Amino acid sequence: MEQTLVLIKPSGVIRCLIGDIIARFQHKGLIIAGLKMMQLDEKILREHYAHLVDRPFFPDLLNSMMRTPVIAMCIKGVDAVNVVRTMTGATNGRKAAPGTIRGDFSMSGQENIVHASDSVENALIEINRFFSEGEIFDYTDNTFKYLYAPDEV
Ligand code: IDP
Ligand code: MG
């Protein structure tokens, strides 16, 4: 079953949306396999946002991501990467569809509340970047029959 990485960014932490965001994923039927608060530093952010380090907004993005601790979550489910990206919405909160996290809570292209992995390959890399092995838990096998048909899992 797929796992994906979600960060509740400082924009979500400051605006007291931690509970709302966790609840959205849980109400959907996704499993929280790992969860912690972390203060990010420049080193991990340069890795995490390596595709953006040359962009003019990168210094602002760095400052934004270090403004408060973040909440890191490993979220598990069938097709979890795509399901979570769909729930997250377009990068720019002003363009994100209503009903998505960014569409409902953000007016910004930078202060957009959450990060979510964009592919299965990157999800694996990002989970390993933010979690150690002992911080990911497997406790939900007997709940899957309430979440999925037998041929879905
Ligand atoms: P994503 O978060 O939707 O995957 P990416 O292109 O991977 O979008 O960008 C990572 C993060 O960098 C965004 O979530 C946003 O916080 C920030 N970002 C991306 N593009 C811009 C921009 O044009 N201006 C300011 N911040 C940006
Ligand atoms: Mg991205």
Side-chain angles (χ1 to χ4, degrees), residues 9 49 51-52 55 57 61 85 89-91 102 109-112 114-116 118:
K9 298 181 179 186
Y49 285 138
H51 59 300
L52 299 173
R55 301 292 290 275
F57 59 81
L61 179 60
R85 281 290 281 195
T91 303
R102 289 165 170 172
Q110 177 179 278
E111 302 302 320
N112 58 3
V114 284
H115 164 82
D118 62 6

Side-chain angles (χ1 to χ4, degrees), residues 1-6 22 25-26 29-36 72-77 80 84 127 131-141 144:
M1 193 168 290
E2 271 178 29
Q3 295 188 332
T4 190
L5 180 89
V6 170
I22 293 173
F25 293 123
Q26 290 200 299
L30 290 156
I31 303 297
I32 310 291
L35 189 153
K36 62 179 173 178
M73 288 187 276
C74 173
I75 291 184
K76 182 172 168 181
V84 168
I127 290 164
F131 286 92
S132 56
E133 207 174 306
E135 294 174 326
I136 305 292
F137 299 91
D138 192 1
Y139 60 97
T140 54
D141 278 355
F144 290 145

Side-chain angles (χ1 to χ4, degrees), residues 31-97:
I31 303 297
I32 310 291
L35 189 153
K36 62 179 173 178
M37 182 173 266
M38 304 171 71
Q39 176 60 50
L40 303 184
D41 60 18
E42 188 166 337
K43 179 174 179 290
I44 197 168
L45 285 165
R46 283 185 173 278
E47 283 175 26
H48 182 63
Y49 285 138
H51 59 300
L52 299 173
V53 289
D54 295 327
R55 301 292 290 275
F57 59 81
F58 188 71
D60 287 340
L61 179 60
L62 263 185
N63 286 333
S64 164
M65 290 296 292
M66 296 191 295
R67 193 165 287 141
T68 69
V70 302
I71 303 298
M73 288 187 276
C74 173
I75 291 184
K76 182 172 168 181
V78 173
D79 298 331
V81 172
N82 278 328
V83 170
V84 168
R85 281 290 281 195
T86 301
M87 292 175 71
T88 297
T91 303
N92 189 322
R94 295 192 299 278
K95 295 180 181 158

